[in-house]
Amino acid sequence: MENFSGKTAVISGATRGIGGAITHNFLEAGARVIGLYAGNTEAAALFMEEHSRFAPQLELVQCDVASESQVASLFAMIEEKYESIAILVNNAGIRRDAVLALMTTSQWQQVIDTNLTGTYLMAKQAVLLMMKNKYGRIINITSPVAHMGFPGQANYAASKAGQIALTKTLAKEVAKKKITVNCVSPGFIATDFINTLDQELLLEYKKMVPMKRFGTAQEVADAVLFLASSRATYITGTVLDVNGGL
Ligand code: NDP
């Protein structure tokens, strides 16, 4: 495994599910991690306890990625304390499912605000720091529904498609500064995100996957670590699918 010591990574949604595995991977690889969570202080405390052996490398911060002022304060703190960052993983995401005809404006807006505006706010601040060092890796966690669509997820699919468009555009803007910007697109991954769905529905979804199983958070985290590594220097503006063949 590549050694990331001396590199600082900011990871959103860092204390549960896919983000928890991503954070774990970077800590094991020697990186310093600033891990963000929204409001689940219990999960954050448990994550910190389980990773106490990495204590000097790990800082958890409660920060709503959809809030411009909270993201600005976070990056002001980071600049003061650590000067810059090498890696940003925009993993925080929510879903508020409803068929479009019945979707409330609030359901639409919450998902766009967290998944898409959050990615914009975080990437903007990160790029300003990364440009100083002429180095950076930005990895956005999108979803196959961005191009497939999925009933009940017009808000979510639009937010994830927007992330891909943002990724491809930003990749072109910062390529000369040696900053790469990519997406990882997980298929069905067994986390709280889908575990709350109806069990029969989950069985149907499993049948849709050619590998006939859901993926693990670890399998997604390994793809993220690869894109952040020195083995991925010429990869930018792409989407890496981790979906069992969907
Ligand atoms: P989880 O629901 O398990 O975890 C979501 C994480 O995002 C939590 O840590 C949560 O914080 C954090 N979060 C939510 N809203 C905000 C916010 N406004 N600001 C900061 N953090 C926030 O989800 P997964 O781990 O399954 O999903 C992670 C990413 O992967 C998401 O972007 C999701 O869309 C994407 N994805 C997931 C798939 C799956 O099947 N699981 C499939 C395809 C994509 P807190 O703990 O405080 O609530």
Side-chain angles (χ1 to χ4, degrees):
M1 184 192 287
E2 182 163 320
N3 191 335
F4 282 77
S5 59
K7 293 207 162 78
T8 300
V10 174
I11 300 165
S12 66
T15 57
R16 285 197 289 131
I18 294 170
I22 295 170
T23 304
H24 180 86
N25 258 5
F26 278 108
L27 290 171
E28 277 221 307
R32 176 190 293 124
V33 177
I34 298 152
L36 313 184
Y37 63 99
N40 190 334
T41 46
E42 217 170 281
L46 183 66
F47 188 87
M48 192 53 131
E49 194 184 311
E50 286 172 353
H51 291 79
S52 55
R53 70 195 158 104
F54 297 110
Q57 282 165 254
L58 176 62
E59 181 169 358
L60 295 183
V61 181
Q62 187 169 0
C63 172
D64 177 0
V65 296
S67 158
E68 188 164 10
S69 59
Q70 289 185 36
V71 172
S73 305
L74 167 79
F75 276 87
M77 178 280 281
I78 290 172
E79 190 172 13
E80 195 182 320
K81 226 164 151 179
Y82 306 112
E83 284 183 18
S84 189
I85 63 167
I87 300 147
L88 169 67
V89 185
N90 280 310
N91 164 76
I94 58 167
R95 58 179 184 83
R96 299 285 183 268
D97 299 351
V99 290
L100 189 123
L102 300 177
M103 186 176 285
T104 63
T105 306
S106 163
Q107 284 172 319
W108 171 265
Q109 202 60 51
Q110 279 179 46
V111 171
I112 298 293
D113 285 352
T114 298
N115 300 3
L116 183 55
T117 307
T119 299
Y120 149 72
L121 292 171
M122 296 283 290
K124 180 177 177 173
Q125 294 283 347
V127 153
L128 291 171
L129 290 186
M130 287 170 174
M131 283 201 297
K132 290 187 196 163
N133 290 349
K134 292 198 172 60
Y135 179 86
R137 295 275 187 272
I138 298 177
I139 297 141
N140 300 319
I141 308 299
T142 182
S143 163
V145 304
H147 50 89
M148 285 165 53
F150 212 79
Q153 294 199 319
N155 48 0
Y156 183 74
S159 73
K160 293 294 175 183
Q163 273 186 315
I164 296 174
L166 182 156
T167 298
K168 288 182 180 293
T169 304
L170 182 59
K172 287 188 165 61
E173 290 176 359
V174 297
K176 273 195 284 195
K177 300 281 184 190
K178 296 200 174 89
I179 300 170
T180 67
V181 192
N182 290 292
C183 284
V184 167
S185 180
F188 294 106
I189 308 297
T191 68
D192 296 345
F193 201 78
I194 63 167
N195 289 344
T196 46
L197 291 169
D198 178 71
Q199 288 305 307
E200 270 179 37
L201 207 55
L202 286 176
L203 279 178
E204 284 304 310
Y205 291 164
K206 211 170 270 183
K207 283 186 202 151
M208 287 167 58
V209 184
M211 284 191 183
K212 302 296 171 208
R213 68 169 177 88
F214 292 153
T216 65
Q218 186 61 49
E219 287 170 318
V220 181
D222 289 345
V224 172
L225 200 68
F226 163 68
L227 286 174
S229 78
S230 61
R231 300 193 177 233
T233 42
Y234 203 53
I235 302 175
T236 196
T238 65
V239 180
L240 177 52
D241 293 321
V242 183
N243 63 22
L246 260 185

